[in-house]
Amino acid sequence: MIPLHSRLESVENEYVQAMAKLEEHQFALGGGWEYDRGSFDRFLDEGHKVWLRLPFRVLSGNLDGETDDNNARIRFGQPFVLKHLYREGTDPDAMTPAIGGTLNQFQDPENPDAEIEAKWIDKARQVLEHVEPLFP
C-alpha cells in the first residue's frame, strides 16, 4: 500500500454526488463498505490487481451500497494505491471438491500487499489529478 498526497483529503461531500462524479472516471463503491465508512475504488491495470482507493468516513446520514436510498455526507481520507496478487490456477490448499465448494469458494491472495511498481503510482497520481477538480 502506497499512500498518496491529495487535496481530496478531508474534503466533505454528499455520497450520492461524489459517487455520480467518480463513476464517470471508472470508480465504484468498494466491496468492503460499512455503514460508517467505505471507499471508491478504481482499477489501474487490465488484470484488476492494482487499485487506486479513495477511502471515506460517513459523517451523517445513511449509507447503503445496495440501494439508491442514500443521504450520507462523507469526508475523504488519504488516497492510496494497493496491489493484490492472486494465485493463478488451482489453489494448493483447497479441500476436496464436494466439501471445498461449499466451504472454501475463494482463494486467499498470494500476496495481499505486493510491491507496487512506479508506473502504477504515476498512473494513480494522474487519475487523482483528473478527479480532484471535481471537488472544489
Side-chain angles (χ1 to χ4, degrees):
M1 179 178 91
I2 305 289
L4 301 172
H5 294 288
S6 171
R7 67 176 201 76
L8 284 180
E9 289 179 61
S10 299
V11 167
E12 295 181 13
N13 206 288
E14 299 301 319
Y15 167 79
V16 172
Q17 293 172 352
M19 185 67 188
K21 293 175 185 180
L22 291 169
E23 278 181 330
E24 293 178 13
H25 294 271
Q26 300 177 325
F27 281 87
L29 178 63
W33 67 272
E34 297 287 338
Y35 294 99
D36 64 338
R37 67 185 176 282
S39 65
F40 296 110
D41 294 348
R42 182 189 189 276
F43 64 88
L44 299 174
D45 66 327
E46 291 299 318
H48 296 207
K49 295 178 182 178
V50 184
W51 296 82
L52 172 58
R53 178 163 287 171
L54 307 178
F56 62 83
R57 288 255 174 223
V58 175
L59 301 175
S60 63
N62 177 46
L63 172 69
D64 188 341
E66 298 176 4
T67 180
D68 290 333
D69 184 26
N70 289 290
N71 63 352
R73 182 154 185 85
I74 62 171
R75 178 183 295 141
F76 285 100
Q78 184 175 23
F80 57 93
V81 181
L82 66 144
K83 182 175 182 180
H84 290 292
L85 293 182
Y86 291 91
R87 293 182 185 98
E88 301 291 334
T90 307
D91 184 353
D93 297 325
M95 296 193 242
T96 59
I99 298 171
T102 58
L103 298 177
N104 191 11
Q105 292 181 334
F106 304 102
Q107 294 184 27
D108 289 330
E110 183 176 294
N111 186 351
D113 200 16
E115 183 178 339
I116 302 167
E117 296 86 354
K119 69 179 181 178
W120 300 122
I121 298 166
D122 291 342
K123 185 166 183 177
R125 286 186 176 124
Q126 290 171 3
V127 171
L128 276 175
E129 287 176 11
H130 283 99
V131 298
E132 285 173 334
L134 300 175
F135 300 92

